[in-house]
């Protein structure tokens, strides 16, 4: 049954690879550096996404949107090829972002009691800026991991696939599967199994290719949603709270978002069934646990045995640590004035709270340690930035930062790149066509100035992004959205 589901998901997403027959629109052509049918990238360092060491001085031959060959740099390129000399550059697979919303926390407005007034926490759809920033950063495939405007996301995917606008291939996650009591008025409120089944069935028919459960969903409702998603060949992930990690794994969930240190409620004392404890209670329960403890080791063992993936989203937690670096000037220039004001105000408030930064830093380090232990035990770790939180994680920029933080967590650079590329492709059932640099695969590649195996920050130095063999100019994509993040 699992094999059938994988094939169905692959078929559902294969439309993403069928764009070669399309002609780029005038809008897309504004951002193209290369669109020749035969291209040779010469004298380049290849970091292929498999976790193997980098290979120096190679030529990658791209023909009609696919990788035709990888040869020694001394060999002559094919006759008629457009040659792009890339000395001092590295090529990695296109990033596969697994927690990459087309929405964003544009502004946090509090009332006189420092609470979010009704109707609650509203987020903004970034239909224009997010796809461009993701692609500019090297993200060639992404999962929306929860949609606030699912029809918008579906239409964006269609326009990108038809080459009417620039952006990555998109696995559109249906609307959040949430229970009662959500802080987000844009989410559903599912309180019955049949409601969950109808929701999953409807959005599967509308074109959603995955689903995400949220914090207040009840266990039996989650179980029904997982079962229905699997019937339609879809996978289901979750940012959970009322249901803990072990319960969700037993119900058959495919993936868990963020990692447990900030979200898994199973160690909260006297926890009530189907109720989400406070974030403070969850944090306190994990403060008392070490990653090498028997309780955590048992949790990891069960998740690995049940083949439940974990999505690392370290950047969204880092931004709450006031002692961590502020956004770069380039990132600030991308933000609307209100979004920048809101984010900086949130950081200032966090910095003013005595001891808060140290506690959050310790929790972040513990999450990093968990993710490393999870992978060393055989678990499948995915990567994504989650551009929500306090507004300090931007589409694309956050994907690059996630790779850097994985290295800080203890992964080698080639391991971190594999997590951000091949692992996501494997989870999506698309490893046969993307995720690594191999002959026969689609030409989704990122050209970096420098060598990220020696200096991981070089993942930020994106010079060209190839998607389906078309080479995009990241600088032009970024400059087209200055001041727009938080607006559209």
């Amino acid at each position: 049954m699992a094999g059938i589901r994988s094939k169905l998901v692959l078929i559902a997403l294969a439309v993403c690879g069928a764009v070669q027959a399309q002609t780029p629109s005038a809008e897309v052509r504004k951002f193209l550096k290369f669109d020749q049918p035969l291209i040779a990238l010469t004298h380049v360092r290849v970091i292929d996404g498999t976790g193997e060491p980098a290979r120096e001085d190679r030529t990658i031959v791209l023909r009609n949107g696919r990788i035709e060959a990888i040869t020694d740099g001394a060999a002559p390129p094919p006759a008629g090829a457009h040659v792009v000399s890339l000395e001092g550059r590295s090529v990695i697979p296109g990033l596969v972002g697994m927690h990459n919303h087309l929405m964003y926390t544009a502004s946090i407005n509090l009332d006189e009691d420092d609470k979010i007034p009704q109707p609650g926490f509203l987020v903004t759809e970034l239909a224009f800026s997010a796809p461009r920033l993701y692609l500019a950063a090297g993200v060639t495939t992404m999962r929306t991991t929860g949609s606030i405007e699912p029809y918008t996301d579906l239409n964006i995917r269609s326009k990108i696939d038809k080459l009417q606008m620039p952006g990555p291939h998109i696995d559109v996650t249906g609307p959040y599967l949430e229970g009662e009591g959500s802080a987000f008025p844009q989410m559903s409120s599912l309180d019955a199994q049949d409601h969950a089944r109808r929701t999953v069935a409807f959005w599967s028919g509308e074109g959603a290719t995955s689903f995400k459960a949220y914090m207040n969903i009840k266990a039996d409702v989650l179980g029904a949603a997982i079962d229905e998603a699997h019937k339609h060949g879809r996978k289901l992930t979750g940012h959970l709270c009322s249901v803990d990690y072990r319960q969700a794994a037993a119900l058959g969930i495919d993936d868990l978002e963020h990692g447990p240190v900030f979200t898994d409620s199973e160690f909260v004392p006297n926890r009530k069934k189907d109720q989400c404890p406070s974030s403070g209670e969850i944090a306190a329960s994990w403060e008392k646990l070490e990653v090498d403890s028997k309780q955590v080791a048992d949790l990891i063992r069960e998740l690995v045995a049940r083949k439940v993936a974990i999505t690392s989203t370290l950047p969204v937690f880092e931004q709450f640590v006031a002692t961590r670096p502020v956004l770069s000037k380039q990132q600030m220039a991308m933000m609307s004035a209100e979004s920048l004001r809101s984010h900086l105000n949130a950081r200032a408030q966090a910095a003013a709270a005595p001891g808060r930064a140290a506690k959050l830093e310790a929790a972040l380090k513990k999450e990093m340690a968990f993710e490393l232990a999870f992978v060393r035990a055989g678990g499948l770790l995915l990567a994504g930035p989650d551009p929500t939180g306090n507004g300090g994680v931007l589409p694309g920029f956050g994907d690059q930062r996630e790779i850097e933080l994985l290295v800080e967590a203890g992964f080698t650079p080639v391991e971190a790149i594999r997590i951000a590329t091949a692992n996501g492709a494997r989870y999506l059932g698309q490893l046969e066509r993307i995720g690594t640099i191999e002959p026969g695969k689609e030409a989704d590649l990122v050209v970096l100035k420098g060598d990220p195996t020696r200096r991981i920050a070089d993942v930020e130095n994106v010079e060209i992004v190839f998607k389906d063999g078309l080479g995009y100019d990241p600088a032009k994509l970024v400059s087209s959205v200055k001041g727009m993040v938080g607006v559209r």
Side-chain angles (χ1 to χ4, degrees), residues 317-330:
F317 299 123
E318 182 186 42
Q319 280 301 308
F320 286 98
V321 184
T323 51
R324 286 266 170 165
V326 296
L327 295 176
S328 68
K329 290 182 179 179
Q330 185 186 28

Side-chain angles (χ1 to χ4, degrees), residues 236-292:
L236 189 147
T237 191
H239 172 177
L240 302 178
C241 179
S242 56
V243 180
D244 68 41
Y245 273 30
R246 241 183 277 250
Q247 290 174 313
L251 290 169
I253 202 165
D254 301 290
D255 184 12
L256 290 161
E257 300 302 309
H258 305 300
V261 174
F262 294 93
T263 62
D264 184 17
S265 59
E266 68 181 273
F267 300 114
V268 173
N270 304 314
R271 183 167 59 96
K272 296 180 181 179
K273 184 178 185 297
D274 286 332
Q275 290 190 21
C276 177
S278 70
S279 59
E281 289 175 305
I282 294 175
S285 72
W286 275 90
E287 281 178 11
K288 301 171 184 176
L289 289 171
E290 297 300 328
V291 171
D292 60 0

Side-chain angles (χ1 to χ4, degrees), residues 265-467:
S265 59
E266 68 181 273
F267 300 114
V268 173
N270 304 314
R271 183 167 59 96
K272 296 180 181 179
K273 184 178 185 297
D274 286 332
Q275 290 190 21
C276 177
S278 70
S279 59
E281 289 175 305
I282 294 175
S285 72
W286 275 90
E287 281 178 11
K288 301 171 184 176
L289 289 171
E290 297 300 328
V291 171
D292 60 0
S293 67
K294 183 180 184 303
Q295 299 100 309
V296 177
D298 288 346
L299 171 62
I300 290 174
R301 191 177 302 111
E302 183 163 354
L303 294 176
V304 173
R306 292 184 181 274
K307 295 181 170 54
V308 180
I310 297 286
T311 307
S312 171
T313 62
L314 298 172
V316 75
F317 299 123
E318 182 186 42
Q319 280 301 308
F320 286 98
V321 184
T323 51
R324 286 266 170 165
V326 296
L327 295 176
S328 68
K329 290 182 179 179
Q330 185 186 28
Q331 292 183 67
M332 290 184 184
M334 296 299 102
M335 302 166 72
S336 69
E338 171 55 24
S339 293
L340 180 58
R341 179 211 64 78
S342 175
H343 167 65
L344 293 177
N345 183 62
R347 277 188 66 99
Q349 288 183 324
R356 185 180 180 189
K359 278 193 171 185
L360 288 173
E361 177 73 26
L364 179 64
K365 291 289 189 182
K366 187 170 287 186
E367 177 58 39
M368 289 177 172
F370 176 91
E371 291 174 10
L372 185 64
F374 176 71
V375 171
R376 297 293 182 253
L380 181 65
L381 188 68
L382 314 175
D386 188 11
T388 55
N390 63 14
V393 180
L394 273 61
F397 292 98
D399 294 86
Q400 297 167 348
R401 183 59 181 159
E402 166 68 17
I403 296 172
E404 295 169 356
L405 291 174
L406 287 171
V407 172
E408 182 181 330
F411 295 100
T412 67
V414 293
E415 285 179 319
I417 290 168
R418 180 183 64 196
I419 290 166
T421 58
N423 282 13
R426 183 184 301 279
Y427 177 88
L428 292 174
Q430 299 188 58
L431 191 56
E432 291 183 0
R433 66 177 195 86
I434 62 169
T436 61
I437 301 175
E438 299 177 72
K441 291 197 172 184
E442 293 181 15
D444 288 4
L445 309 167
V446 186
V447 178
L448 305 170
K449 184 178 181 180
D451 181 359
T453 67
R454 296 179 181 273
R455 180 180 178 272
I456 195 58
D458 285 345
V459 296
E460 299 177 17
N461 301 332
V462 180
E463 293 193 340
I464 314 168
V465 179
F466 285 94
K467 179 186 159 220

Side-chain angles (χ1 to χ4, degrees), residues 224-236:
I226 293 169
D227 181 66
E228 191 68 23
H230 290 173
K231 285 181 181 178
H232 291 272
R234 278 38 173 175
K235 289 184 176 181
L236 189 147

Side-chain angles (χ1 to χ4, degrees), residues 131-207:
R132 295 177 181 223
L133 288 179
Y134 282 128
L135 188 61
V139 179
T140 54
T141 299
M142 59 165 278
R143 177 179 66 177
T144 58
T145 323
S147 294
I148 289 297
E149 296 185 19
Y151 279 125
T152 303
D153 291 1
L154 289 166
N155 288 328
I156 288 172
R157 181 180 69 186
S158 177
K159 289 180 182 297
I160 291 171
D161 288 348
K162 293 175 182 177
L163 292 181
Q164 295 173 356
M165 64 179 284
H169 298 306
I170 301 178
D171 169 17
V172 174
T173 304
Y176 284 84
L177 306 176
E178 172 65 312
E180 294 182 2
S182 177
F184 294 85
Q186 292 152 300
M187 293 185 186
S188 63
S189 180
L190 306 177
D191 59 358
Q193 296 179 50
D194 63 336
H195 190 181
R197 289 185 181 277
R198 291 197 311 272
T199 300
V200 170
F202 175 81
W203 285 104
S204 293
E206 292 296 289

